[in-house]
Amino acid sequence: MIRFSLRLAVSGGREAVARLLMIAAAVAIGVGLLLSTLAGVNAIDRANERQFWMNTGVKGGTATAPADPLWWGARMDYFQGKRVFLAQVAPTGPTSPVPPGLSRLPAAGEYYASPALEKLLSEVPAVELGDRFPGRPAGTLGDDALPSPDTLAVVVGRTVDEVKALPRATTVTTIAAALPAECDNDCYGAGVHGDAMVLVLTVVAGALIFPVLIFIGTATRLSAATREQRYAAMRLVGATPGQVSVISAVESTVAAVAGTVLGFGVYFALRPVMAGAPFTGDRFFVGDLSLSPVHAAGVVLGVPVVAALAARFALRRVTISPLGVSRRATPKPPSAWRLAPLLAGLGELGYFVGNRPATTNGQSAAYLTGFVLVMLGLVISGPWLTMAVSRGVARRTSRPASLIAMRRLGDDPRAGFRSVAGLVLALFVTTATLSIMGTINANQGTLNGAPEVRKAVVTTPMGGSESPMVLQAVPDGMVARARAVPGFAGMALVHDNPAGIGAYQYGRERIVPPLVRCSELAQIPVVGHCAPGAAVAAVDRNQFLDLQANAGREWPTAAVSAEEVATLPVRMIYATTDGSASATEQLRTLFNSELPRYEARMAEDWSSEGQKKLQGWRQLANVVLLTTLPIAGCSLAVSVVAGLSDRRRPFAMLRLTGAPLRLLQRVIGLESALPLLVVSAIAIGTGFAAAAMFLKAQMQYDLVSPGAPYYGLTAFGLVASLGIIASTLPLLKRITGPEAARNG
């Protein structure tokens, strides 16, 4: 029976072969995108795992083992807005642990740099970068220690005494291999998986897979009506329901298997493109975009099975009674109970607004379930919504094209909605994703800094206010060398205020402002100025880290002489440049070299971690948009073409009876456009509601409008969809000729 089914699948002439090729091509696109999505999630996981070693020394991140202790001091440096991870190490014996990517620990005066950092060191003058890592290169930091080809990282060998003197230096006997339970500012290897990112990734992965599965299911239903008639004829001449089921399953499975094989080819072709796109802020290694055996087996086995089940479901009337196909009885109308999953999904998301689960895994399960229920609800309730609207329109129209289209939609709303189901889901995903990302960006992404502040370099003690490490004296000659840097603008020393001059109460906290000499404050006007005739000002400590210019602010005068202030310890050095990258990085390098216990940053670097996370979220939003919309467009085109092919004989008969071609084209257009516009409006509203509940439950943010780009993109997507529908209408003339009426 299977051999006969295989022969039958390709023995129908060019039409049968073309149908198989179309199904295979559609399945290939869907499988390729599905595999790429799964590989992207795997790549993020692998990138995260390869930077766990950066958490060495962090409480809860490093285990103990019988080995010689390794002195470890790590911090994050910056170069032109890019993070540079710096680990300074000093072994105490031959069994001291070695970080991944290295065959041995660097000796004092040696360093291992990542390939991207090596490239920068060879291209950038040493006074801007290389002088931060004195010594000689001992080799290259291997890929095992790098989450991305763009990662800037260096492991520098020091003496034990040099590492001991570093802030937060510690001894370890193992290298961290996991993310600590609680990551604070010391946790440099957290990757893109903060709690919120775990949730976003989970929801995005589910959102991407849904349209792909709908696309594959749509493709396997191509020419379902033609196959129904063929199998009905077989039943009438004696074929059993089981034989018909085998034939239909084999025919669909052949195309699905071929499409699955081609889909792996599409995936391998897309891998270099995906690897080169910074979806999470950095590029991927091509090898990281791989599939687990479970994912590969699931797709290889699952897609043909889904195709066979889709064919079996589509042809269920044949197996019951062949006469049911020839009579074309009106299907049972969908009931209002189809709204239940949609309402349940929204209700679940609403419930968690005030009852958020305590753990990240619990939150992921809760929100993913809610979003999946909403997406299922849109697909399940779509036919009922289509039927309700079409019947309402039919009662209020008298135009022939509208009546035909609305009556057909009212009689078989499932077929009418099926063609736009993928696009409806894409609009929901787009709305929810851009709303979530836009709201997060509006609440966290405003730290871009005024242009004047971007010209500022801050060097500040490591350890912060909880563990202040002030500088007792500025090294001799450092100020002169800083002033000699081309592009230098001004510098002020921010002194400690042990006497509490100008202190004030802020809630329960007593704020003690640092002191700045007015002669130096005048050199950095972006921070503010002194009162006329004043010698020393008490400046708010947060102003030096503020990303907004405050030149008009007059700071209170401190009752202390400039000479007395000059003898006080230095809490911070604040320097400004002309804004050129060369001047900024030369000053940063100078400060790093002269003050190894301090951290030299641009003022805007303080927000770079949050900006990097936001950039990753924005890139993920782009992934959603660039994936779901094309999938939805392909699904729509395949569905409309399939609908035309399935009904070519009825349309041919209408043309023979005198119906003009333009009338039939209007019928097709209305049948596709009505469910598209109606259910899309509901999907957009549902997307806003789901996003608002997720943001309120998880982050306590109120929904912020996604702005003009979203509305422009949505309008473009709807117009493009209508254009896809219109582009299929010329096919109607070719497939509804007299021969279709004779041979259909």
Side-chain angles (χ1 to χ4, degrees):
M1 195 67 191
I2 294 179
R3 290 183 58 189
F4 172 73
S5 302
L6 291 173
R7 291 181 58 188
L8 187 64
V10 296
S11 63
R14 289 184 300 176
E15 180 183 349
V17 174
R19 180 176 66 249
L20 290 176
L21 290 176
M22 287 181 64
I23 296 174
V27 172
I29 295 173
V31 168
L33 292 173
L34 176 59
L35 293 174
S36 298
T37 300
L38 296 173
V41 174
N42 290 339
I44 293 173
D45 289 336
R46 292 188 178 93
N48 285 339
E49 292 170 0
R50 280 207 301 274
Q51 58 188 312
F52 287 158
W53 69 278
M54 299 179 184
N55 300 316
T56 299
V58 178
K59 182 180 179 181
T62 308
T64 57
D68 294 322
L70 172 71
W71 275 98
W72 178 277
R75 67 182 176 89
M76 197 64 71
D77 198 0
Y78 294 85
F79 178 79
Q80 295 186 6
K82 300 176 181 177
R83 300 192 310 165
V84 182
F85 177 75
L86 168 62
Q88 302 182 71
V89 298
T92 62
T95 62
S96 293
V98 179
L102 298 179
S103 58
R104 66 174 180 88
L105 289 167
E110 294 181 341
Y111 65 82
Y112 288 87
S114 64
L117 183 56
E118 285 182 328
K119 185 173 184 292
L120 273 180
L121 290 172
S122 66
E123 296 174 347
V124 175
V127 292
E128 296 182 18
L129 182 60
D131 289 347
R132 304 181 198 178
F133 321 118
R136 62 187 182 279
T140 301
L141 193 58
D143 292 348
D144 290 345
L146 308 176
S148 165
D150 301 325
T151 298
L152 303 179
V154 60
V155 180
V156 180
R158 300 288 197 199
T159 66
V160 171
D161 290 338
E162 286 174 331
V163 179
K164 275 185 179 180
L166 297 174
R168 291 179 291 212
T170 186
T171 56
V172 298
T173 54
T174 61
I175 302 298
L179 185 66
E182 296 183 5
C183 262
D184 55 17
N185 294 330
D186 297 334
C187 195
Y188 300 119
V192 296
H193 269 60
D195 284 356
M197 180 55 82
V198 172
L199 298 174
V200 172
L201 283 172
T202 305
V203 172
V204 165
L208 288 173
I209 291 173
F210 244 83
V212 171
L213 294 178
I214 285 182
F215 182 36
I216 292 174
T218 299
T220 57
R221 290 180 56 86
L222 280 169
S223 300
T226 302
R227 285 181 286 167
E228 278 185 346
Q229 293 178 356
R230 179 198 299 173
Y231 299 146
M234 291 181 182
R235 287 291 316 281
L236 289 173
V237 297
T240 66
Q243 291 172 329
V244 170
S245 297
V246 170
I247 294 172
S248 65
V250 168
E251 187 174 12
S252 296
T253 303
V254 166
V257 168
T260 301
V261 173
L262 292 174
F264 275 86
V266 173
Y267 154 68
F268 284 111
L270 288 177
R271 278 214 312 175
V273 178
M274 288 188 64
F279 291 139
T280 59
D282 294 308
R283 294 181 300 156
F284 291 127
F285 286 109
V286 175
D288 284 348
L289 288 162
S290 59
L291 299 168
S292 68
V294 173
H295 289 158
V299 172
V300 168
L301 299 176
V303 171
V305 169
V306 169
L309 291 176
R312 176 69 179 82
F313 182 77
L315 303 172
R316 62 193 183 281
R317 290 178 296 176
V318 177
T319 60
I320 296 172
S321 169
L323 297 178
V325 175
S326 61
R327 290 196 301 265
R328 292 291 176 186
T330 300
K332 184 179 178 181
S335 67
W337 284 106
R338 285 176 168 263
L339 293 172
L342 178 61
L343 298 177
L346 293 174
E348 179 177 347
L349 292 175
Y351 170 79
F352 288 115
V353 169
N355 301 276
R356 188 182 73 169
T359 65
T360 299
N361 290 336
Q363 293 164 17
S364 298
Y367 298 127
L368 180 60
T369 304
F371 274 90
V372 168
L373 269 176
V374 171
M375 288 188 285
L376 274 174
L378 286 172
V379 174
I380 294 173
S381 65
W384 184 86
L385 295 170
T386 300
M387 179 191 69
V389 174
S390 63
R391 289 181 176 179
V393 174
R395 287 193 293 267
R396 291 171 175 78
T397 185
S398 58
R399 295 176 179 272
S402 300
L403 280 172
I404 294 174
M406 296 305 108
R407 291 297 185 189
R408 181 179 180 275
L409 283 177
D411 289 342
D412 192 3
R414 297 176 183 85
F417 174 75
R418 189 181 301 125
S419 63
V420 300
L423 189 68
V424 166
L425 278 184
L427 285 174
F428 168 79
V429 171
T430 299
T431 301
T433 301
L434 286 186
S435 297
I436 291 171
M437 301 302 179
T439 300
I440 294 173
N441 191 54
N443 283 274
Q444 300 181 10
T446 57
L447 306 177
N448 295 318
E452 298 88 347
V453 179
R454 293 176 188 155
K455 300 177 181 180
V457 175
V458 179
T459 178
T460 182
M462 298 185 68
S465 58
E466 297 82 6
S467 178
M469 289 174 290
V470 296
L471 189 67
Q472 297 301 322
V474 175
D476 293 339
M478 192 194 76
V479 175
R481 285 190 290 274
R483 294 184 185 280
V485 171
F488 174 87
M491 180 187 294
L493 303 182
V494 182
H495 293 270
D496 201 5
N497 185 0
I501 300 171
Y504 60 94
Q505 200 70 25
Y506 183 77
R508 296 184 177 181
E509 184 180 4
R510 184 171 181 264
I511 305 298
V512 179
L515 305 176
V516 183
R517 292 188 291 179
C518 291
S519 59
E520 296 178 356
L521 191 60
Q523 299 177 32
I524 54 170
V526 67
V527 175
H529 61 272
C530 292
V536 178
V539 182
D540 185 348
R541 66 188 183 189
N542 294 321
Q543 180 57 44
F544 295 101
L545 307 181
D546 196 350
L547 298 177
Q548 304 301 322
N550 206 4
R553 178 70 177 271
E554 182 177 291
W555 296 106
T557 301
V560 61
S561 69
E563 291 73 16
E564 290 177 292
V565 169
T567 64
L568 295 173
V570 175
R571 175 63 66 88
M572 182 183 296
I573 300 173
Y574 194 99
T576 58
T577 70
D578 59 3
S580 66
S582 176
T584 298
E585 298 307 332
Q586 284 191 55
L587 274 181
R588 197 199 302 263
T589 300
L590 173 64
F591 290 148
N592 278 339
S593 302
E594 297 279 353
L595 307 169
R597 293 170 61 86
Y598 280 51
E599 205 170 51
R601 294 188 177 185
M602 288 286 290
E604 60 186 0
D605 287 341
W606 292 101
S607 66
S608 62
E609 300 304 317
Q611 290 296 320
K612 182 177 176 63
K613 183 187 295 184
L614 291 173
Q615 181 185 6
W617 289 351
R618 287 191 290 267
Q619 293 290 357
L620 286 171
N622 293 336
V623 173
V624 174
L625 301 182
L626 296 176
T627 304
T628 55
L629 290 178
I631 293 173
C634 294
S635 181
L636 177 62
V638 169
S639 295
V640 175
V641 170
L644 289 175
S645 176
D646 288 345
R647 291 185 292 151
R648 58 182 179 176
R649 189 168 186 270
F651 282 138
M653 297 296 291
L654 285 173
R655 287 192 64 188
L656 287 175
T657 58
L661 181 63
R662 184 169 296 179
L663 173 69
L664 301 182
Q665 290 176 337
R666 284 200 294 268
V667 170
I668 294 295
L670 288 170
E671 286 181 359
S672 302
L674 180 75
L676 169 66
L677 298 177
V678 170
V679 187
S680 292
I682 295 173
I684 290 171
T686 304
F688 281 128
M693 288 184 284
F694 171 81
L695 289 164
K696 195 66 175 178
Q698 183 63 23
M699 302 176 182
Q700 295 302 308
Y701 292 158
D702 292 325
L703 181 67
V704 175
S705 173
Y710 160 76
Y711 295 106
L713 181 65
T714 302
F716 172 78
L718 291 173
V719 171
S721 301
L722 294 175
I724 290 173
I725 295 171
S727 69
T728 63
L729 297 182
L731 292 173
L732 195 61
K733 181 177 181 180
R734 288 191 293 173
I735 66 175
T736 57
E739 67 280 359
R742 293 193 302 269
N743 303 325

